Amino acid sequence: MTERGRSGTRTIPSLWTAVDRRRVVLASLLAAGHQGGEALVPVVIGIVIDRAVADHSVTGLLVWLLILAVVFAGLSTCYRFAARVAEGTAEWAAHRLRTAVAAKGVDGTGRLSGELVAVATGDAQRVGAVNSALPFGIAALAGLLVAAVSLLRMSVPLGLLVLLGTPPLLWLAHLIGRPLERRSQVEQDRAAHASAVAVDLVSGLRVLKGLGAEAAAVARYRRTSRASLRATLRAARAEAGHDGAILALTGAFIALVALVGGKLALDGHLTIGELVAAVGLAQFLLTPFQIFAWVNGQLAQGRASAARIADVLQDAPAKPTESTMDLPDRGLLGIVTTDPHDLLTALEQHPGVLLAPHDADLFTGTVADNVGGDVERAMAAAAVDVPADAVLAEGGKSLSGGQRQRVALARALAAEAPVLALHEPTTAVDPVTEARIAAGIAEHRRGRATILITTSPALLAVTDRVVFGNLAATHDELLRHNENYRAAVLS
């Protein structure tokens, strides 16, 4: 799947499109060397017992011990480089997904910033981890094949038992992983929502204090956090049940292999060395099945996280609707949007609109020189607390951020434009001053058209109506009836 944004066409990843096949194949080959070597260890030990110890051959013993040392050196080297390639691939895959989610955030989405952070971190990491899990799952399968072939050479019944018993065991493991996948997705959804609320609570602390809404916001986060905790506990129980069930299945299977091997040895169908090798291989089988359980859990969580990332990347870009582009004849219109870029661009190019950004530059000279027009009236409306004859340094650097913002707002008001658009004019002032400025703007612009592009509840409270997506209503109505609007404003 693909989507088109300002940055061009991008592929929306599924779990498998997020896999770096070339590097995963390389890591799988290296990891298979490790697991194959692990499977050969008990086989070599059995040969040592049959050909060297039983025959009292010192030379044979030394040769086979040397072979055993080479096997150990090979398997340890393979594991080292397999882990390096697999982990590096996982981190790069997670990085690419984080970049894609971040780019989507730049294009615009209706989601809260905290949720995007959770998706770009936790979900991206889980999907990326599939790149490190797959090589070891493939290697475990290779180890099983080596063990099965070795058992076939010693005993056809033992080899067939492993070869024919493994596929249904893997299918059962897949079925057991289904509840874990479902609960993992719910867990990530709840965790992302809790993260979103926490981030927006911290970032919106100034607004909350101004409204006296700290207690309500904390209570909201407490409810969200508890819901996330319950989902996490359910997912943890599902994971524990999954691991326990897989362990029970593999334990029963390995016990069956050991029993069959013991019976064959008692009947004289296996030598002492072959019996030792068969028991060692039965014990070795525990490792591949443990790897299968781990990989199955990683895949279940990865599928859930991949679905969440795909949902984010398929969100329609947050663009201004036709209703937001209708210029008001008079009065104050509030516009709440998570991505004002396109709207600001359209207003800036509109011949009948004066757009005042919140980060406008000041020039060297007095405050009055920067404001112009009816200086006193404009400064009063913008709550400027700097004398009109104060001389400013270059760029207004002699003022605080809030003072610079208020002088710039006074300049925009003094222009007396028929249609004035203000973008977040109070981000650097305290809540009390923000309330004074909101009242000042409403009074100063009475009878003329003013557009306030903001999420400030103090500014939105003085507007005649607010546009939020495809909705247009008063600020109070949207607060009462629209949860998404409340979340956007309180953040």
Side-chain angles (χ1 to χ4, degrees):
M1 293 181 292
T2 60
E3 70 160 4
R4 184 173 294 277
R6 287 196 301 271
S7 57
T9 301
R10 294 197 275 275
T11 299
I12 297 176
S14 65
L15 181 64
W16 303 115
T17 58
V19 173
D20 187 332
R21 292 169 176 78
R22 183 178 63 83
R23 293 177 64 86
V24 166
V25 168
L26 174 60
S28 299
L29 292 174
L30 291 168
H34 167 257
Q35 281 294 294
E38 291 278 7
L40 287 176
V41 168
V43 176
V44 174
I45 292 175
I47 294 174
V48 169
I49 293 174
D50 278 344
R51 298 188 183 181
V53 176
D55 295 341
H56 303 288
S57 172
V58 175
T59 303
L61 178 62
L62 292 176
V63 170
W64 283 105
L65 287 178
L66 179 61
I67 293 174
L68 187 61
V70 171
V71 171
F72 270 111
L75 68 89
S76 60
T77 301
C78 285
Y79 179 82
R80 175 185 177 186
F81 287 99
R84 178 182 296 182
V85 174
E87 290 300 324
T89 305
E91 292 302 323
W92 274 110
H95 170 72
R96 288 194 295 271
L97 290 173
R98 282 192 293 270
T99 302
V101 174
K104 182 62 185 179
V106 173
D107 283 348
T109 176
R111 298 172 187 262
L112 297 178
S113 58
E115 181 180 359
L116 290 176
V117 169
V119 172
T121 53
D123 286 311
Q125 199 68 31
R126 284 187 171 186
V127 176
V130 172
N131 287 271
S132 64
L134 280 176
F136 290 99
I138 295 171
L141 185 59
L144 274 178
L145 290 175
V146 172
V149 170
S150 300
L151 288 171
L152 275 172
R153 290 177 63 85
M154 290 183 285
S155 169
V156 173
L158 273 179
L160 290 177
L161 177 61
V162 173
L163 285 176
L164 299 179
T166 299
L169 200 63
L170 294 178
W171 176 247
L172 286 174
H174 173 71
L175 294 180
I176 292 172
R178 293 283 181 84
L180 175 60
E181 180 178 348
R182 290 193 298 270
R183 294 191 178 185
S184 177
Q185 179 154 7
V186 174
E187 175 202 8
Q188 286 296 93
D189 286 340
R190 297 289 188 272
H193 184 57
S195 176
V197 173
V199 169
D200 295 328
L201 173 62
V202 173
S203 63
L205 192 58
R206 175 177 65 87
V207 176
L208 294 173
K209 287 183 176 294
L211 294 174
E214 301 101 310
V218 170
R220 178 191 175 209
Y221 176 72
R222 184 180 293 112
R223 291 192 300 271
T224 304
S225 179
R226 286 175 178 172
S228 175
L229 175 61
R230 288 192 295 270
T232 300
L233 292 176
R234 285 193 294 269
R237 286 193 292 269
E239 185 171 5
H242 167 270
D243 292 348
I246 295 295
L247 186 61
L249 280 174
T250 56
F253 184 70
I254 292 168
L256 179 61
V257 172
L259 285 173
V260 172
K263 180 66 168 58
L264 291 171
L266 289 176
D267 293 342
H269 297 297
L270 293 177
T271 65
I272 297 299
E274 289 173 338
L275 177 61
V276 170
V279 173
L281 286 170
Q283 292 176 332
F284 162 77
L285 290 176
L286 182 61
T287 299
F289 285 119
Q290 286 177 334
I291 294 175
F292 288 146
W294 171 67
V295 171
N296 194 58
Q298 293 290 99
L299 290 176
Q301 293 178 337
R303 283 191 293 267
S305 290
R308 286 175 45 76
I309 292 174
D311 286 344
V312 169
L313 297 182
Q314 291 180 90
D315 283 344
K319 295 182 178 179
T321 61
E322 290 186 3
S323 60
T324 66
M325 297 307 300
D326 291 337
L327 299 182
D329 295 329
R330 62 179 62 85
L332 270 67
L333 171 67
I335 298 179
V336 177
T337 174
T338 56
D339 180 17
H341 178 274
D342 293 331
L343 175 60
L344 294 175
T345 300
L347 289 173
E348 189 175 30
Q349 296 172 351
H350 200 290
V353 178
L354 172 63
L355 174 63
H358 72 280
D359 56 352
D361 294 326
L362 302 180
F363 54 83
T364 304
T366 65
V367 172
D369 292 336
N370 274 274
V371 174
D374 190 342
V375 175
E376 292 186 2
R377 182 167 177 262
M379 289 178 61
V384 177
D385 58 359
V386 182
D389 58 356
V391 179
L392 305 183
E394 182 181 356
K397 293 180 180 178
S398 56
L399 302 180
S400 68
Q403 289 172 329
R404 285 197 300 271
Q405 194 173 53
R406 281 175 277 171
V407 172
L409 173 60
R411 179 169 62 193
L413 294 173
E416 307 292 354
V419 180
L420 175 63
L422 300 173
H423 177 220
E424 296 289 6
T426 58
T427 55
V429 302
D430 61 87
V432 175
T433 304
E434 186 175 44
R436 288 174 53 201
I437 292 173
I441 292 174
E443 176 62 29
H444 191 281
R445 296 291 301 173
R446 188 185 303 276
R448 284 171 296 180
T450 307
I451 302 172
L452 291 172
I453 306 162
T454 182
T455 57
S456 164
L459 293 175
L460 294 169
V462 301
T463 59
D464 299 308
R465 64 190 178 99
V466 177
V467 173
F468 179 62
N470 292 321
L471 301 176
T474 66
H475 171 64
D476 290 339
E477 289 171 341
L478 288 171
L479 276 180
R480 285 196 303 269
H481 303 300
N482 193 289
E483 182 179 354
N484 292 331
Y485 180 79
R486 286 196 300 272
V489 169
L490 289 178
S491 67

